[in-house]
Amino acid sequence: MLDASLKSQLKSYLEKVTQPVELIASLDDRAASLEMLELLQEITSLSSRITLIERRNDDERKPSFRINRIGYDIGVRFAGIPLGHEFTSLVLALLQVGGHPSKAAADVIEQVKNLDGDFSFETYFSLSCHSCPDVVQALNLMAVLNPRIRHVAIDGSLFQDEVKQREVLAVPSVFLNGKPFAQGRMELPEILAKIDSGAIAREATKLDAKGTFDVLIVGGGPAGAAAAVYAARKGIVTGIAAERFGGQVLDTMAIENYISIKETDGPHFAVALEQHVKAYEVDLMNLQRAESLLPGDLIEVKLKSGATLKSRTVILATGARWRNMNVPGETEYRNKGVTYCPHCDGPLFKGKRVAVIGGGNSGVEAAIDLAGLVSHVTLLEFATELRADAVLQRKLNSLPNVTVIMNAQTTEVTGDGAKVQGLIYKDRGTEAGHTLPLEGVFVQIGLLPNTDWLKGIVELSKHGEIVVDSHGRTNVPGVFAAGDATTTPFKQIVIAAGDGSKAALSAFDYLIRMTAPAA
């Protein structure tokens, strides 16, 4: 099952196992069980510290296997064959159960160990899911560290009756003690924040005790990360308060237009951003949502946790989120054919059929761009006429492989469970339903800047964007802004990073002038 190269790599990893491990396989006579057994036999052949036990009459899901340290009761189980994106999850579980220490922060590890209660997690994943491994690995580690925590990672394709019964429409989907817990990508601190009722109050107390920052950056996407690096390199006291470090980048699968990096994906790019920031003396406060801004000689940022941070300058880099269609299938097929960035993902659909939802400038520009790559573009506009500039409409109408459908309301995105296969829309004039067979849906109905909490405090445009000048300055002294939350045109990662750098340099210049001695 594993090729020679993969076996060699796995063997070298398994040399780090220091404690005896047993793989307890629950099997039946189906082909999937035979395939799982073959994988487990290959693993045991690579390490003398790993043994295999076969069971056929227990009450566990079949096929599944538990990874346990002999003499302990560790609740890590895979219901399915963890290859593809989950192979790394399997390797980490083997190492951690086998005594190899985790790289998680010491305080996080201690927090997991001290959790009070019985937690039985179930995670439904797919082997092609990029976001699933983070969740699976976090919950596996929790089960290794705390004997009252159990986790089973379930391949939805092998247990379709469960998926249907529980109405699992997207992965990763996590259940806790039999009830829905969370969906989507999560890291260990995010999971802990949801189940440790005292964690928020403890963290708020710690944050309240922090001293005054020279620069406090609100937001941890490319703009915030760049601002932090540039500020820290000036030797000033720098902090980041981020609701989710990495921001919208975490939900972007293909990045092929960031200069000097030929190709990567969002999660890897976000890791690189975090590593770069942590290379400097930056106080990174993750999972912290800002709720209000109070200008003054010392600017205060109040967080949802109740804590308040103080700084001489603030850089707002809260980013934006895609406006959703809110129709069945949109969430299920996000990054499986449903996408929001034609610049980033368009080349992935070369020669395929796609739809663009939205007839404003962004939608028409997307259709024009995509027409040069894909076999056919269908643009659907909710209104009876396009809202894009006339010059863009003329260009659109000149393209032979573009169809424009007006007065069309998208009602559902359809697929085979792994990828988009079509789109259903309603003619708003006749109420008739129509189906379009296609492979991609580009949603271009606008971005929503994450600025609701700033209304009445800093100047916002009619679209809710923070109004900035050429230096990233807002109308509030000492408050700067950068990236997708601002009026800066063209929402791109590279532009956001440049914006963040500029805002940090502007903040530093502001601090110099404010502290310069009088003439």
Side-chain angles (χ1 to χ4, degrees), residues 270-303:
V271 169
L273 288 179
E274 185 171 357
Q275 290 174 341
H276 198 171
V277 169
K278 287 183 174 179
Y280 295 93
E281 291 187 14
V282 176
D283 190 344
L284 202 166
M285 298 161 280
N286 200 14
L287 306 182
Q288 301 300 326
R289 182 174 182 174
E291 284 201 328
S292 65
L293 179 75
L294 181 62
D297 291 338
L298 284 183
I299 303 164
E300 296 185 0
V301 175
K302 186 172 182 179
L303 305 175

Side-chain angles (χ1 to χ4, degrees), residues 108-164:
V108 172
I109 290 174
E110 199 61 28
Q111 185 180 359
V112 174
K113 289 180 177 180
N114 292 331
L115 284 173
D116 185 21
D118 296 310
F119 304 91
S120 178
F121 290 99
E122 300 164 291
T123 302
Y124 290 89
F125 70 87
S126 74
L127 296 178
S128 61
C129 171
H130 291 76
S131 299
C132 294
D134 287 325
V135 177
V136 170
Q137 291 164 23
L139 291 171
N140 279 347
L141 176 60
M142 289 174 65
V144 171
L145 296 172
N146 189 324
R148 299 180 68 181
I149 299 174
R150 325 295 289 180
H151 178 231
V152 54
I154 307 161
D155 184 348
S157 66
L158 286 182
F159 296 89
Q160 294 185 14
D161 289 343
E162 285 188 39
V163 167
K164 184 176 180 181

Side-chain angles (χ1 to χ4, degrees), residues 9 28 47 63 66 95 104 108 110 113 118 164-165 175 198 203 286 331 398 427 451 454-455 482 496 507:
Q9 293 179 43
D28 54 23
S47 174
R66 181 179 164 204
L95 294 180
V108 172
E110 199 61 28
K113 289 180 177 180
D118 296 310
K164 184 176 180 181
Q165 180 183 1
F175 288 74
E203 185 65 16
N286 200 14
T331 299
S398 72
D427 185 314
T451 58
L454 296 168
K455 290 179 179 177

Side-chain angles (χ1 to χ4, degrees), residues 460-476:
L460 303 178
S461 73
K462 65 179 181 180
H463 302 296
E465 298 167 322
I466 303 167
V467 177
V468 293
D469 66 10
S470 60
H471 287 65
R473 292 177 291 227
T474 72
N475 66 312
V476 178

Side-chain angles (χ1 to χ4, degrees), residues 358-361 364 379-389 392-394 396-397 404-406:
N361 280 348
V364 172
L379 187 146
L380 291 90
E381 165 57 35
F382 184 83
T384 56
E385 60 183 24
L386 297 179
R387 294 169 285 109
D389 296 341
L392 294 174
Q393 293 190 45
R394 287 196 298 272
L396 182 74
N397 293 329
V404 178
I405 302 175
M406 305 291 195

Side-chain angles (χ1 to χ4, degrees), residues 66 75 77 84 88 91 99 104 139 152 181 183 236 252 276 280 335 359 406 469 484 498 505 507 509:
R66 181 179 164 204
R77 179 177 291 273
T88 300
V91 174
L139 291 171
V152 54
F181 174 72
Q183 277 192 344
I236 56 181
T252 303
H276 198 171
Y280 295 93
N335 296 320
M406 305 291 195
D469 66 10
D484 288 3
L505 295 175
D509 182 70

Side-chain angles (χ1 to χ4, degrees), residues 415-446:
D416 62 2
K419 59 184 182 300
V420 166
Q421 290 186 323
L423 176 149
I424 301 173
Y425 73 92
K426 179 179 69 175
D427 185 314
R428 296 178 59 234
T430 65
E431 296 294 315
H434 302 274
T435 299
L436 289 175
L438 44 76
E439 290 75 40
V441 178
F442 288 80
V443 182
Q444 293 290 289
I445 54 178

